[in-house]
């Protein structure tokens, strides 16, 4: 009898369902919420409503497309946190009801652990211990990964997440939400050294990304006084300079962590790991320092249920289930 798990992700603004069978991902269905674009950021209330609308069709598609009937499911997994409370509640409530009606166990998953465990979906798989730089819209963490479910945060941001810095500076440039992928796109044509923005250096392995937002705000305010078309005329250089600064801040701490822990197996995870500049810089550092680096496939960088399913498989194998009284945790820690 195969172990078939249905996994649900609803922590922010993607509604996703995936099926994993004996550790192999069969599908990964994602419904992206476009409703937030015009507001320049995720509106929590609208996100929960959109999850309500999308969840059942997405789960239905995942089950249909897998060729496995719902009666062959061994467990239901869901994102317990961290994330937006209203969004998490939709996934948790659905998972509970479905597991209860089928009489099968429930598995609660930490979203940040799942981003890291996405590396075990395909080959090559990282060897333990490795360091993972997890970079998303809500988090920036350096994680020492000692085992599938044995992880320790060794550094994190003191203020904004790096994805937030991408999105907020993009907004200052007049780009729609989420601005991270657009900064990446325009940066390809720009000069990284055109506008030197300040690089913060926090103590130890801590990051800080709030300064760049203010630096870009004041810089643009001054430039726009002299030339109202400054942003349009310099968009590629602005994007390249902002991206270069953010990547520099990430890489300086990653190098520090690798030296401190004497680990040369390095992974990146989370939405910002889709950034082409970050991927290229990591590859350069790998060649320079002899690191073995693990860069996830694009579809497993941003939020998806396949990573929740992968994490659920490891928890199922250890017999780690949760009760029907489980509640979401918006600020869940690794
Ligand atoms: O992991 P994720 O999908 O959701 C959270 O858990 O936050 O990450 C979303 C973040 C957003 O801030 C988005 O702008 C950023 O990832 N992102 C990127 C790129 N693709 C997504 N940032 C820079 N370059 C990209 N190519
Ligand atoms: Zn995420």
């Amino acid at each position: 009898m195969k172990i078939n798990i249905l996994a649900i992700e609803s922590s922010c603004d993607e509604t996703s369902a995936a099926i994993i069978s004996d550790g192999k991902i069969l599908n990964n269905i994602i419904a992206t919420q476009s409703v937030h674009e015009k507001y320049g950021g995720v509106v929590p209330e609208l996100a929960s409503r959109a999850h309500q609308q999308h969840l059942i069709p997405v789960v239905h598609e995942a089950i249909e497309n897998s060729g496995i009937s719902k009666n062959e499911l061994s467990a239901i997994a869901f994102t317990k946190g961290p994330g937006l409370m209203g969004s998490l509640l939709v996934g948790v409530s659905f998972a509970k009801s479905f597991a209860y009606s089928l009489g099968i166990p429930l598995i609660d998953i930490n979203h940040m652990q799942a981003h890291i465990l996405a590396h075990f979906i395909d080959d090559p798989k990282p060897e333990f211990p490795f360091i993972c730089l997890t970079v998303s819209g809500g988090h920036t963490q350096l994680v020492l990964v000692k085992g599938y479910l044995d992880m320790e945060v060794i550094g994190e941001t003191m203020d904004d997440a790096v994805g937030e810095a991408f999105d907020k500076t993009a907004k200052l440039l007049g780009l729609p939400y989420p601005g991270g992928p657009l900064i990446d796109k325009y940066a390809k044509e720009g000069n990284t050294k055109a506008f030197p923005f300040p690089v913060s250096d926090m103590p130890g392995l801590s990051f800080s990304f709030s300064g760049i937002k203010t630096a870009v705000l004041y810089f643009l305010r001054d430039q726009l006084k002299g030339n109202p078309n400054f942003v349009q005329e310099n968009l590629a250089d602005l994007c390249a300079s902002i991206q270069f600064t953010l990547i520099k801040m990430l890489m300086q701490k990653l190098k520090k962590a690798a030296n401190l822990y004497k680990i040369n197996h390095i992974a990146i995870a989370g939405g910002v790991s889709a950034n082409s500049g970050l991927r290229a810089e990591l590859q350069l550092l790998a060649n320079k320092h002899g690191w073995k680096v693990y860069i996830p496939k694009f579809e497993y960088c941003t939020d998806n249920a396949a990573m929740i399913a992968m994490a659920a498989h490891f928890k199922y194998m250890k017999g780690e289930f949760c009760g029907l009284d489980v509640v979401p945790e918006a600020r869940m820690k690794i």
Side-chain angles (χ1 to χ4, degrees), residues 38-317:
K38 58 177 177 289
Y39 299 100
V42 177
V43 184
E45 168 82 20
L46 297 179
S48 1
R49 289 179 195 208
H51 284 305
Q52 284 281 6
Q53 262 178 334
H54 295 155
L55 188 54
I56 294 193
V58 162
V59 167
H60 190 70
E61 190 178 339
I63 294 176
E64 285 279 296
N65 154 307
S66 71
I68 289 171
S69 96
K70 64 181 192 311
N71 297 318
E72 293 172 289
L73 291 173
S74 322
I76 310 282
F78 62 91
T79 303
K80 182 180 178 189
L84 299 171
M85 186 47 91
S87 291
L88 291 166
L89 273 168
V90 178
V92 176
S93 310
F94 176 83
K96 281 190 199 186
S97 335
F98 203 24
Y100 183 64
S101 71
L102 295 172
I104 56 176
L106 262 182
I107 306 177
D108 55 330
I109 300 296
N110 180 307
H111 180 88
M112 300 314 293
Q113 280 198 345
H115 266 302
I116 297 172
L117 293 173
H119 281 286
F120 294 92
I121 294 175
D122 293 318
D123 288 326
K125 300 184 173 78
E127 274 172 37
F128 300 117
F130 65 95
I131 290 174
C132 187
L133 173 67
T134 312
V135 278
S136 73
H139 290 82
T140 305
Q141 294 180 328
L142 280 162
V143 183
L144 176 61
V145 188
K146 296 174 256 184
Y148 296 118
L149 301 167
D150 184 6
M151 305 183 186
E152 184 191 340
V153 177
I154 54 172
E156 61 191 325
T157 182
M158 293 311 198
D159 40 53
D160 291 351
V162 65
E164 217 175 330
F166 267 103
D167 296 339
K168 286 182 177 168
T169 49
K171 196 173 175 182
L172 295 173
L173 300 177
L175 300 173
Y177 177 85
L182 294 168
I183 292 207
D184 188 359
K185 178 177 152 199
Y186 295 118
K188 292 193 175 107
E189 312 293 324
N191 173 5
T192 54
K193 306 272 166 50
F195 307 111
F197 293 114
V199 175
S200 71
D201 191 8
M202 301 292 284
L205 297 176
S206 300
F207 301 91
S208 168
F209 294 103
S210 59
I212 186 161
K213 203 176 52 194
T214 323
V216 172
L217 177 72
Y218 291 148
F219 175 75
L220 291 180
R221 192 188 57 187
D222 293 344
Q223 297 299 321
L224 288 167
K225 275 184 205 150
N227 175 9
N229 295 323
F230 180 78
V231 172
Q232 292 89 316
E233 287 169 11
N234 296 280
L235 188 60
D237 285 349
L238 283 164
C239 289
S241 303
I242 291 168
Q243 180 168 301
F244 174 79
T245 312
L246 293 174
I247 294 174
K248 193 163 174 184
M249 291 195 257
L250 291 172
M251 291 302 136
Q252 81 188 5
K253 296 297 174 170
L254 184 56
K255 275 189 273 183
K256 203 168 182 173
N259 286 337
L260 210 61
Y261 287 85
K262 300 192 173 28
I263 289 179
N264 63 357
H265 284 239
I266 309 286
I268 51 171
V272 180
S273 63
N275 184 271
S276 56
L278 177 61
R279 294 162 91 99
E281 186 60 25
L282 191 66
Q283 206 56 65
L284 276 178
L285 285 180
N287 299 339
K288 188 166 164 202
H289 299 291
W291 292 350
K292 173 110 183 69
V293 294
Y294 301 90
I295 300 177
K297 266 192 192 161
F298 283 110
E299 70 170 307
Y300 301 137
C301 287
T302 44
D303 291 348
N304 66 87
M307 68 185 197
I308 306 300
M310 195 68 244
H313 174 79
F314 295 127
K315 286 193 89 170
Y316 188 99
M317 298 312 280

